């Protein structure tokens, strides 16, 4: 019995070493943590609405949190040079911290959302503050599994100003 145990241990030793020394699995998307002080949400929304009105840009309100991997994934894509170049002539963006989906809910309701069901919830507004995507705003809770191309194409569909 002892011989079987020693033989088995000798056979598994290389597998254990390979598993222990394997590099960590890479995340399939970039990540960023843009959500800050939840008390700044109303002021941030007012600022982006004013800027959008002056520039004729659309607004993206991202209701999310730094604890949420889908929120971090969307923020990571937005932070890449490719996305920044596409977003800048079209949108102004506010990152609204919703805590554990219990903060800034009044801001979501202000624009026609029925609270925050998942994070991120991504609301697109025209330059006058009118919601353009109420039906699919809550569907972004799976942002980390969406492809770079799908995310890019969704936001690139808006005309540049």
């Amino acid at each position: 019995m002892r011989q079987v145990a020693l033989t088995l241990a000798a056979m598994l030793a290389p597998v254990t070493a390979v598993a222990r020394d394997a590099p960590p699995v890479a995340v399939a998307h970039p990540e960023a943590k843009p959500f800050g002080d939840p008390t700044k949400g109303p002021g941030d929304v007012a600022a982006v609405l004013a800027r959008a009105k002056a520039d004729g840009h659309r607004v993206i309100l991202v209701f999310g949190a730094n604890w949420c991997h889908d929120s971090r994934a969307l923020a990571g894509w937005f932070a890449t040079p490719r996305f920044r170049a596409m977003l800048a002539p079209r949108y102004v963006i506010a990152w609204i911290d919703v805590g554990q989906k219990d903060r800034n809910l009044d801001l979501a309701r202000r624009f026609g959302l029925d609270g925050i069901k998942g994070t991120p919830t991504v609301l697109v507004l025209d330059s006058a503050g009118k919601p353009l995507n109420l039906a699919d705003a809550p569907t972004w809770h799976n942002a980390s599994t969406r492809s770079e191309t799908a995310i890019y194409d969704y936001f690139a569909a808006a005309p540049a100003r």
Side-chain angles (χ1 to χ4, degrees):
M1 180 72 161
R2 180 180 161 127
Q3 183 61 30
V4 171
L6 289 174
T7 302
L8 186 59
M11 288 175 24
L12 291 177
V15 173
T16 304
V18 169
R20 184 183 62 235
D21 297 334
V25 175
V27 176
H29 52 77
E31 289 198 356
K33 294 181 177 182
F35 300 94
D37 183 353
T39 64
K40 292 185 177 183
D44 290 348
V45 169
V48 296
L49 287 171
R51 189 168 148 215
K53 187 175 183 180
D55 296 345
H57 285 56
R58 290 183 177 187
V59 173
I60 298 174
L61 301 179
V62 183
F63 294 90
N66 286 334
W67 58 260
C68 171
H69 69 282
D70 290 293
S71 296
R72 293 191 314 265
L74 184 64
W77 284 122
F78 278 19
T80 65
R82 177 178 184 232
F83 275 77
R84 284 195 321 257
M86 178 272 295
L87 292 167
R90 291 173 173 81
Y91 301 98
V92 287
I93 303 169
W95 301 93
I96 305 175
D97 192 317
V98 296
Q100 296 292 322
K101 297 185 266 180
D102 60 354
R103 296 185 181 199
N104 288 312
L105 303 183
D106 56 326
L107 287 174
R109 287 187 193 98
R110 173 181 164 189
F111 294 103
L113 292 169
D114 184 26
I116 300 296
K117 309 242 185 310
T119 56
T121 295
V122 182
L123 188 59
V124 178
L125 311 173
D126 67 13
S127 61
K130 178 184 171 194
L132 300 175
N133 71 328
L134 282 173
D136 63 336
T139 66
W140 286 90
H141 61 87
N142 66 355
S144 68
T145 62
R146 293 187 187 199
S147 72
E148 174 183 1
T149 300
I151 295 169
Y152 186 94
D153 290 349
Y154 181 88
F155 293 102
R161 301 279 178 185

